[in-house]
Amino acid sequence: MFHSQVTGSVAALGPAEPFYEMAMVCRAMENTTYFASINHALGHQEWRTTLVAPDGNLVASVPLGEEKLLVSDLNLEQATWFLAKRYNPDLYQGEGDV
């Protein structure tokens, strides 16, 4: 799952990093798939480009504000969409359809 972001500054809310990090972890775990959140490497970004595994663990990231290409090997068998399938199983007819 890919998520393009321009988060901007939320300084009035306090440190934003834990909020964005936990939101990405939640999206990966609730959909039981890999979640890639890609920022635009602007100076005011509150979070960096990250890749989170279906179990919520950080796979890889790019340092905040740096322009880099993030490349990582994935174990696609971990991306089962198990939780998502509960809500609309008709969208997931068989192995390899996701």
Side-chain angles (χ1 to χ4, degrees):
M1 180 178 305
F2 290 94
H3 169 252
S4 178
Q5 63 162 313
V6 178
T7 55
S9 177
V10 290
L13 301 176
E17 184 173 311
F19 170 78
Y20 292 122
E21 180 179 4
M22 289 295 100
M24 292 176 214
V25 167
C26 286
R27 297 299 80 80
M29 293 178 72
E30 73 188 1
N31 291 289
T32 329
T33 191
Y34 286 94
F35 186 89
S37 188
I38 297 90
N39 79 10
H40 294 275
L42 302 173
H44 65 278
Q45 283 283 24
E46 295 287 336
W47 192 246
R48 61 193 186 266
T49 295
T50 59
L51 178 59
V52 180
D55 62 4
N57 286 312
L58 180 67
V59 175
S61 67
V62 172
L64 187 62
E66 290 190 21
E67 293 184 33
K68 290 190 175 185
L69 177 65
L70 179 64
V71 178
S72 182
D73 289 327
L74 305 177
N75 178 356
L76 297 181
E77 291 179 6
Q78 291 180 347
T80 64
W81 292 85
F82 175 76
L83 296 177
K85 289 179 190 179
R86 297 182 308 160
Y87 297 107
N88 195 347
D90 294 336
L91 290 177
Y92 310 96
Q93 294 299 316
E95 298 273 332
D97 287 350
V98 280

